[in-house]
Amino acid sequence: MQLTAKPERTFGLIVGIEKYHESAWNVPGGGPADDALKFADWLHQRGVPKENIRLCLSALEENHQLIGECRLTVELATEQNISDIVTNFLSPKSGDLLYIFWAGHGLITSERERRLLCADANKQNWQNLDLNSLLILLGSDKFQIRHHICIIDACANYVLESKGRPTNLGGKAFLSGQPKQDSQQFVLLATREGEKAQVNSKKKTGYFSQAVREAFAEANGTFPPDMREVTEAVRQRFTSLDKKQLPTYFYSRSWDGDIEKSYFNPFEIPHNIPQSQARKFVGRDEEIEQLRQLLQANDVVAITDVTGQGGVGKTELAIQYSSQYLGDYPGGCCWLNPQGIDLGTQLVEFGVVNLSNFNLPDGLSLAGQVAYCWRNWQAGKVLLVFDDVKDWMQIKPYLPPKGSRFKVLITTRLNTGLRYSSLPLGELSPDAALELLAKLLGDEYVQQETETAKKLCEHVGYIAIGLYQIAAIYRKPGRVLC
């Protein structure tokens, strides 16, 4: 990604917070304030005017001399001041590029929103900015600076309500306008979901911020630096570090759905998702999106069979969703078969085989071992799949605690006694059934025998398994379909 931007038409919102109103949240020794100062200084040295750079700091007492040495105006890093800068100063400005740099605490909500804690946050009032809504504002017609590069050195861990986080975080959510078609946005995050941003206490810097600075230095004065090259350099540095922290990025080139995502993960996300049994998977894109939305809003979701006969593709839909969105579950995807060995045994074996630092104590009952799983699973959101459930009571003892970071996906023919949000699955649409048959038998056959193909789809009730059976018969030597 190489953007063109003139320094005089570039702006910066630079935030470094190491001291909070809730003193227990202070960053020991500091680091974020110095990281922010160095980033602001880098912008100024590249020709960005002082008046274009808004620097918001909250430094520990021991680091106040850094502010005294700064050549830029330093402002408060409170929620009100930062949101005012965004809405009243930056939004109406005409420019080529906005840099946002943030070093400080962050978290992930149960709705998978990234929040950035401001300096005036405390346990009674978690003052924060909604990063997701901020990014949407930047890409809308309510914001005039065309392109945006956001570099966020903040945690993305889950702070549970049981540990003092309110169920409704509040905070500043930005209102956006209509999407712009010509806006590019690159967001480089220090952490994946569930991870903490690590600080080098000796050097008083975030490992991520330091890696970004070093990558910028290698850009040989190019302004703005190519963020793809910067990102690759950061990735290489973190590959050599054992920090249980892996940067990730997403890059939106337009508002036409043209979005690129990358999870820097040198270790495969643990999973035991079965291999797809479908030669072709068509006609279920809408259902996959519905499933994604349901799992964002609910802890437990069931894929049900409205026909009650099977063969509608419940398991295949679960496989396709789990595979496509595995990156959203850095804690892994554990696939459980209620028709196999005891579910608790399957769950514990997955942990022992796939999860590092999973040291199961001796002498625990099976129930105790399952409880150990919930408390000691590796960081990040987790997807549990219970495939082909025939009895609700069979899985009840093995459901994770409510409100935890575990999401549960169930496939079942059961349509009675359902207590969970569900995605009813039935026959394919006639067009999707015909498309699947064309994929199985070849486009040429369907084009030449369109009416026959339509009757075959109707004959099997537009059920996926029926179409596979037809294709199997057709492929046998000497067999004809009709």
Side-chain angles (χ1 to χ4, degrees):
M1 173 194 177
Q2 182 58 60
L3 294 175
T4 300
K6 297 179 179 179
E8 63 270 21
R9 288 179 53 81
T10 297
F11 292 80
L13 172 57
I14 316 301
V15 181
I17 305 173
E18 58 194 25
K19 180 183 179 182
Y20 290 84
H21 187 275
E22 189 70 44
S23 59
W25 296 348
N26 291 350
V27 179
D34 195 27
D35 287 334
L37 281 164
K38 288 176 178 175
F39 192 90
D41 187 59
W42 174 83
L43 273 182
H44 185 48
Q45 288 183 11
R46 294 301 177 275
V48 178
K50 287 184 178 181
E51 59 270 20
N52 287 10
I53 301 173
R54 302 297 293 267
L55 177 59
C56 302
L57 298 181
S58 179
L60 296 175
E61 298 294 335
E62 62 210 73
N63 295 327
H64 270 195
Q65 79 281 359
L66 297 172
I67 296 177
E69 299 167 1
C70 179
R71 294 175 293 173
L72 300 170
T73 301
V74 175
E75 304 179 57
L76 296 176
T78 60
E79 179 194 289
Q80 184 63 56
N81 189 51
I82 296 172
S83 60
D84 281 348
I85 290 172
V86 172
T87 56
N88 299 323
F89 174 75
L90 291 172
S91 289
K93 295 292 185 183
S94 175
D96 297 335
L97 177 62
L98 168 66
Y99 275 100
I100 292 180
F101 175 86
W102 189 291
H105 289 318
L107 56 83
I108 291 281
T109 70
S110 56
E111 296 80 23
R112 296 187 63 224
E113 299 170 342
R114 285 186 184 248
R115 299 294 186 91
L116 304 175
L117 295 182
C118 300
D120 48 342
N122 58 59
K123 291 182 179 179
Q124 286 71 45
N125 193 340
W126 291 57
Q127 301 279 26
N128 67 88
L129 299 186
D130 182 338
L131 177 61
N132 303 59
S133 69
L134 174 58
L135 296 177
I136 293 173
L137 166 64
L138 300 185
S140 78
D141 60 7
K142 283 193 174 182
F143 202 87
Q144 301 307 310
I145 302 174
R146 185 178 181 185
H147 303 306
H148 327 107
I149 295 175
C150 303
I151 300 170
I152 310 297
D153 193 352
C155 299
N157 55 321
Y158 304 95
V159 182
L160 303 180
E161 284 81 355
S162 61
K163 294 185 178 180
R165 194 193 82 183
T167 54
N168 181 3
L169 275 174
K172 176 62 179 179
F174 296 91
L175 300 177
S176 68
Q178 295 297 316
K180 289 188 296 191
Q181 297 295 323
D182 61 347
S183 177
Q184 297 187 59
Q185 195 171 88
F186 196 104
V187 182
L188 182 56
L189 303 163
T191 52
R192 298 172 302 166
E193 285 190 19
E195 295 178 337
K196 293 183 179 180
Q198 304 292 327
V199 175
N200 186 334
S201 56
K202 290 184 178 180
K203 296 184 177 180
K204 294 189 176 183
T205 181
Y207 284 98
F208 172 79
S209 292
Q210 182 179 5
V212 171
R213 286 197 302 272
E214 292 171 353
F216 276 8
E218 293 175 358
N220 297 320
T222 302
F223 185 86
D226 188 314
M227 286 306 295
R228 289 184 182 277
E229 294 179 359
V230 169
T231 300
E232 176 59 23
V234 171
R235 183 193 69 81
Q236 291 179 3
R237 282 169 173 79
F238 268 85
T239 299
S240 64
L241 295 174
D242 182 22
K243 294 300 169 192
K244 300 187 184 303
Q245 170 193 343
L246 296 166
T248 181
Y249 79 85
F250 56 91
Y251 167 36
S252 176
R253 285 180 287 265
S254 72
W255 281 84
D256 298 324
D258 190 8
I259 296 177
E260 170 187 329
K261 294 184 178 181
S262 174
Y263 294 87
F264 293 146
N265 190 357
F267 311 103
E268 183 182 2
I269 294 176
H271 73 87
N272 59 341
I273 302 171
Q275 290 291 323
S276 171
Q277 299 302 309
R279 291 181 63 248
K280 304 292 180 182
F281 186 74
V282 301
R284 296 298 194 194
D285 290 343
E286 182 178 343
E287 285 81 359
I288 285 183
E289 175 58 23
Q290 291 174 351
L291 188 57
R292 185 187 70 82
Q293 294 180 11
L294 282 171
L295 281 165
Q296 282 186 341
N298 301 277
D299 289 339
V300 182
V301 175
I303 304 174
T304 60
D305 180 356
V306 296
T307 72
Q309 300 175 3
V312 296
K314 301 182 300 298
T315 295
E316 188 58 38
L317 183 67
I319 291 173
Q320 295 292 333
Y321 169 81
S322 302
S323 300
Q324 288 184 32
Y325 289 98
L326 181 60
D328 288 349
Y329 299 95
C333 174
C334 178
W335 195 282
L336 301 165
N337 180 9
Q339 314 314 318
I341 61 175
D342 183 87
L343 286 170
T345 301
Q346 293 182 49
L347 186 68
V348 172
E349 285 184 350
F350 181 92
V352 171
V353 172
N354 294 281
L355 306 180
S356 59
N357 301 322
F358 193 87
N359 302 312
L360 195 68
D362 295 331
L364 291 178
S365 66
L366 183 58
Q369 293 176 27
V370 171
Y372 179 89
C373 289
W374 306 142
R375 295 185 179 183
N376 295 276
W377 208 278
Q378 75 175 37
K381 189 168 290 186
V382 182
L383 179 64
L384 301 176
V385 182
F386 293 87
D387 186 31
D388 193 21
V389 172
K390 292 181 169 59
D391 181 356
W392 295 120
M393 296 305 296
Q394 187 180 7
I395 67 170
K396 186 177 179 180
Y398 305 106
L399 294 176
K402 290 183 178 180
S404 66
R405 56 192 172 90
F406 292 82
K407 295 288 186 176
V408 175
L409 178 58
I410 298 168
T411 72
T412 181
R413 292 191 197 181
L414 298 174
N415 288 301
T416 58
L418 184 64
R419 299 179 296 135
Y420 310 114
S421 298
S422 66
L423 176 64
L425 209 60
E427 68 274 6
L428 294 166
S429 68
D431 288 344
L434 195 64
E435 181 186 358
L436 176 56
L437 194 61
K439 296 289 186 182
L440 295 171
L441 298 180
D443 292 334
E444 184 177 351
Y445 170 81
V446 172
Q447 291 171 0
Q448 293 177 354
E449 304 288 345
T450 302
E451 292 305 315
T452 300
K454 288 182 178 179
K455 290 180 180 179
L456 289 170
C457 293
E458 184 179 5
H459 176 71
V460 299
Y462 305 105
I463 299 297
I465 195 171
L467 297 172
Y468 278 94
Q469 291 170 344
I470 286 176
I473 293 173
Y474 179 83
R475 287 191 292 270
K476 290 183 178 179
R479 298 298 297 270
V480 294
L481 292 175
C482 57

